[in-house]
Amino acid sequence: MSNRAIQSIRGMNDQLPDACDSWQTVEQTIREVVRLYGYREIRTPILEKTELFHRSIGEQTDIVEKEMYTFTDRNQDSLTLRPEATASCVRAGIEHGLLYNQTQRLWYLGPMFRHERPQKGRYRQFHQFGIEALGWPGPDVDAEIINLGTRLWQYLGLVEIRLEINSLGSPANRARYLEDLRTFLESRHDELDESSRRRLTTNPLRILDSKDSGTQAILDDGPDLASYLDDEDRRHFDCLLEHLERTGIEYHMNSRLVRGLDYYTGAVYEWTTASLGAQNAFCGGGRYDGLVQQLGGLAVPAAGFACGMERLVELYSQQRSITEMAGAEVWMVMLGDTAEAIGYPLAENLREAGIQVVCNCGGGSIGKQLRRADQKRALFAVIIGDDELENRRFTVKPLQSGEEQTSMAEDCLVDFFLAQRNREQSAF
Ligand code: AMP
């Protein structure tokens, strides 16, 4: 058997501890924000029956055509690692009767799988945080979801974020538009870029977000989606825009904005940023009024968004200041066996009071232990050496602030560290 080191699967990343610190902060902020809006978490399995995604995302989409991790299990059932979670939320909602004469405000966070070509910001296992509001037909809920997202970006300190928005209209109006778009593009077939030519037969709507400038110029002469909206579509969309204006949310109309999944109807939007390079969209959503019925449920209107966690964490990390990357609150420096016999129980007492303590393991001189604590960016060292043992007082040395060290009795330590923490937080 080979003893060569085994590597992870291409496009599937380990999140190392430094990265996990940022992930945890982002996740906590998400939890705080969804709570403010009354959304409740739903967790669904990572594996679903393949048919679920065929029926929801659409047969002719990139995801279903070429990106799903699909396999036959031991019972000969065709299963798929979920490429997104809206279909699973809807499936679970129908299966457990959550949508029967009820409305639901849901959120989820978890891994998704798409067999795409890996590059920065595009992975084969990635994570999405998503919002699903099921049961409300009006634009009020679309606005609520956009407000929620905006508040989250604010709380994470993101800057230069752009909200692009469009309306795809009702399915019937969109179908009329698609028909005309296809006829128009067929007449210009030879001028289109290669992937748009392919999409002409499979999914012409996706040609609207082609990156090819020649194709974009051709589209300028083509039918305009906005003129296919009827009064009802327009009323819904205008009302949404008014809601956004009332809450001070800036948006940019983008009549070429479409989404990669077939189930979207009506208002669709995407948040983009210039800070992520080519993969500039980090969150996208809209209405999907037909999906619940399409998956065997009642006609339940729905809206939501999915946000790429890798991209969100990257944006957050670009923004956050170095001071937030502090290490443990206390590093316990202990010289010799007697010091350890006192230090370990003392560390437990501090932890009991909620103070984060890392004990120096592996010995070493006091100087060496302090260097280690400093490297790990600990805020304070508690030093137990010969003098401290003799006097039964502990030396507390601030490691990051440059302040003088002090010495104190054991029963003062908890209050001291809690007071330090309050001081830090109020300074922040
Ligand atoms: P979608 O479900 O395709 O509408 O994508 C919603 C969001 O998920 C995107 O804006 C990205 O932030 C993120 N996302 C989608 N696919 C990937 C991927 N392969 N790798 C990383 N993030 C992704």
Side-chain angles (χ1 to χ4, degrees):
M1 202 187 278
S2 160
N3 62 355
R4 203 162 38 89
I6 297 170
Q7 303 214 315
S8 66
I9 299 167
R10 200 162 112 82
M12 303 203 176
N13 300 319
D14 299 310
Q15 300 298 348
L16 303 180
D18 274 349
C20 284
D21 287 346
S22 301
W23 277 75
Q24 283 179 10
T25 310
V26 173
E27 287 168 13
Q28 275 160 13
T29 313
I30 288 173
R31 289 192 159 79
E32 190 183 324
V33 172
V34 292
R35 191 189 66 79
L36 292 176
Y37 288 80
Y39 282 71
R40 296 174 68 212
E41 187 176 7
I42 182 163
R43 300 184 188 192
T44 60
I46 285 169
L47 273 179
E48 296 275 1
K49 292 184 182 153
T50 303
E51 187 194 353
L52 176 68
F53 303 114
H54 280 253
R55 267 172 59 187
S56 55
I57 298 173
E59 301 278 357
Q60 313 279 312
T61 56
D62 284 352
I63 296 179
V64 169
E65 274 188 343
K66 49 187 190 217
E67 293 171 1
M68 295 205 306
Y69 281 90
T70 297
F71 64 95
T72 307
D73 81 348
R74 290 168 198 276
N75 299 337
Q76 303 307 308
D77 292 325
S78 176
L79 305 181
T80 293
L81 281 168
R82 63 180 184 194
E84 58 104 51
T86 298
S88 304
C89 290
V90 170
R91 185 221 18 91
I94 297 169
E95 186 168 336
H96 302 287
L98 301 185
L99 308 178
Y100 195 75
N101 288 333
Q102 296 176 62
T103 50
Q104 297 288 340
R105 285 184 164 89
L106 306 174
W107 70 276
Y108 61 82
L109 196 162
M112 310 293 157
F113 304 83
R114 294 183 196 173
H115 197 278
E116 297 193 79
R117 196 167 60 78
Q119 52 185 289
K120 187 167 167 32
R122 189 176 288 287
Y123 309 105
R124 290 181 172 171
Q125 175 175 329
F126 61 100
H127 297 73
Q128 282 182 339
F129 148 62
I131 285 289
E132 314 290 358
L134 298 140
W136 291 275
D140 46 0
V141 86
D142 299 278
E144 171 180 294
I145 295 170
I146 293 176
N147 272 295
L148 185 160
T150 307
R151 184 171 296 281
L152 178 60
W153 324 143
Q154 274 168 2
Y155 281 15
L156 291 172
L158 309 193
V159 291
E160 291 178 41
I161 301 297
R162 192 179 153 93
L163 171 65
E164 302 202 352
I165 192 161
N166 191 20
S167 174
L168 298 178
S170 67
N173 293 332
R174 183 161 53 145
R176 277 195 308 119
Y177 166 72
L178 266 180
E179 189 74 34
D180 291 355
L181 179 70
R182 195 193 300 261
T183 311
F184 165 75
L185 290 174
E186 265 161 9
S187 72
R188 308 282 294 264
H189 177 273
D190 296 346
E191 299 163 67
L192 296 175
D193 65 280
E194 197 194 319
S195 91
S196 296
R197 256 181 267 159
R198 228 183 13 255
R199 283 180 165 155
L200 196 49
T201 43
T202 56
N203 196 347
L205 200 59
R206 290 307 303 276
I207 297 177
L208 293 190
D209 62 8
S210 160
K211 300 268 185 287
D212 184 85
S213 54
T215 299
Q216 283 297 333
I218 295 168
L219 286 167
D220 288 342
D221 303 332
D224 178 19
L225 176 53
S227 62
Y228 288 74
L229 303 188
D230 62 22
D231 288 350
E232 184 50 40
D233 293 338
R234 227 171 275 122
R235 211 171 16 250
H236 186 114
F237 196 51
D238 288 346
C239 190
L240 166 60
L241 300 181
E242 275 165 31
H243 268 286
L244 296 182
E245 281 155 25
R246 270 201 294 275
T247 45
I249 291 183
E250 201 181 311
Y251 58 83
H252 302 266
M253 293 295 301
N254 175 355
S255 61
R256 304 261 163 96
L257 177 73
V258 291
R259 310 272 307 125
L261 304 93
D262 272 2
Y263 52 64
Y264 283 103
T265 53
V268 290
Y269 47 86
E270 227 164 53
W271 275 283
T272 61
T273 163
S275 327
L276 287 175
Q279 306 307 327
N280 65 349
F282 65 97
C283 183
R287 291 205 76 82
Y288 48 95
D289 287 337
L291 186 61
V292 179
Q293 205 167 22
Q294 205 171 310
L295 290 177
L298 302 171
V300 175
F305 70 56
C307 173
M309 286 295 288
E310 279 75 4
R311 297 181 197 178
L312 189 60
V313 172
E314 166 73 20
L315 285 173
Y316 165 73
S317 305
Q318 286 175 6
Q319 239 65 242
R320 76 177 180 162
S321 70
I322 197 86
T323 51
E324 286 174 71
M325 289 160 56
E329 289 180 286
V330 175
W331 191 278
M332 194 67 77
V333 172
M334 300 165 287
L335 192 67
D337 293 347
T338 319
E340 285 186 6
I342 292 177
Y344 279 104
L346 172 60
E348 287 303 327
N349 288 343
L350 295 178
R351 290 174 184 136
E352 186 75 20
I355 296 159
Q356 184 192 26
V357 186
V358 172
C359 286
N360 185 84
C361 289
S365 68
I366 289 191
K368 190 171 168 193
Q369 294 189 39
L370 283 173
R371 273 196 300 283
R372 226 178 262 154
D374 198 36
Q375 261 169 17
K376 297 286 185 188
R377 300 188 57 80
L379 298 178
F380 290 91
V382 169
I383 304 171
I384 317 178
D386 296 339
D387 290 350
E388 287 81 4
L389 287 176
E390 198 172 309
N391 304 331
R392 295 299 288 185
R393 286 175 76 81
F394 301 96
T395 300
V396 176
K397 184 175 167 59
L399 295 174
Q400 307 299 330
S401 66
E403 287 170 17
E404 286 296 305
Q405 65 182 40
T406 47
S407 108
M408 62 185 80
E410 177 171 355
D411 53 9
C412 298
L413 287 169
V414 166
D415 286 347
F416 173 80
F417 288 121
L418 292 179
Q420 291 301 319
R421 187 190 290 167
N422 288 339
R423 203 175 74 163
E424 284 265 313
Q425 280 166 353
S426 56
F428 181 67

